[in-house]
Amino acid sequence: SGSTLNMSGGTIKNNISNTLGGGVYVKGIQSRSSTMNFSGGEISGNTANGGGGVAIIGSTMVMNNGTISNNSTYRTSGQGSYGAGVYVADYANASGGDTLFTATPASFEMNGGKITENKALDYGGGVLTFPQQSQKITIDINNGEISGNQVTKGSGGAIAAFFGVTELNIKGGTLTGNSAYQFGGGVFLYQATNVTISGGTISENKA
């Protein structure tokens, strides 16, 4: 398997990436996925092209507590500004770095903590899925808070989910006070049909 990162405290703050993962970049090795367990601490004020706070490429992140806040993403000539808080994909293309990586399924599970006050230009203020090689992306929101995130020129204030290989399950937690300039102040779906909302609160989001 790949690497495992356990974060239970401390701060990852004010870092800049010229590709993905301003704060943390979780990526597998060839077809071996890595894992991040986030149970405390703060990832804040970081910036990247994709995943201002955290980028998960062909890997897994489980968030039980802690805060991902005030991160941002910027545009480049070849890539939009996606996933200010958490960016989840199966592959990183040339503008995202390592083209030798084998496309692998990825997942993000949120059981607690906060993803708040992150800002993207194009898609996904809080969480974004962007599969590029048709591998499955799974997002489970079981608890916690996704609030106050913004997309200033596009869609998906709290969550933006792309394409049919994405599975989005919202079973609990609170998505509130997020905003998008175009569509989906709370949740924006683009060709994503495997979506289940069975609990939680989605309120006071604006688009």
Side-chain angles (χ1 to χ4, degrees), residues 119-202:
K119 185 182 293 186
L121 296 178
D122 293 309
Y123 296 104
V127 179
L128 172 118
T129 75
F130 201 70
Q132 298 178 40
Q133 300 286 329
S134 299
Q135 297 293 310
K136 186 174 183 179
I137 309 292
T138 306
I139 305 294
D140 291 312
I141 308 298
N142 300 319
N143 209 337
E145 179 182 309
I146 303 176
S147 65
N149 302 287
Q150 297 180 54
V151 179
T152 56
K153 297 185 183 300
S155 302
I159 299 172
F162 278 81
F163 311 134
V165 292
T166 288
E167 178 181 320
L168 171 62
N169 301 304
I170 300 175
K171 302 173 187 175
T174 302
L175 281 62
T176 187
N178 303 283
S179 64
Y181 179 72
Q182 290 186 318
F183 307 108
V187 179
F188 172 74
L189 307 174
Y190 184 85
Q191 297 178 0
T193 56
N194 194 358
V195 178
T196 303
I197 300 174
S198 57
T201 300
I202 302 175

Side-chain angles (χ1 to χ4, degrees), residues 19-121:
T19 53
L20 297 171
V24 181
Y25 189 3
V26 185
K27 184 175 74 68
I29 301 168
Q30 295 302 327
S31 60
R32 301 191 300 269
S33 65
S34 295
T35 301
M36 179 177 182
N37 297 307
F38 184 37
S39 58
E42 179 183 344
I43 301 171
S44 68
N46 305 289
T47 190
N49 175 222
V54 182
I56 305 160
I57 308 299
S59 295
T60 294
M61 178 175 177
V62 179
M63 179 174 179
N64 293 317
N65 208 337
T67 301
I68 300 173
S69 66
N70 294 292
N71 301 287
S72 62
T73 54
Y74 58 83
R75 289 174 176 159
T76 67
S77 59
Q79 181 89 7
S81 161
Y82 295 172
V86 179
Y87 173 103
V88 190
D90 54 351
Y91 182 77
N93 64 12
S95 67
D98 186 359
T99 56
L100 299 177
F101 175 72
T102 303
T104 307
S107 65
F108 173 69
E109 177 182 332
M110 184 176 186
N111 300 312
K114 287 186 177 184
I115 300 174
T116 185
E117 303 294 338
N118 301 286
K119 185 182 293 186
L121 296 178

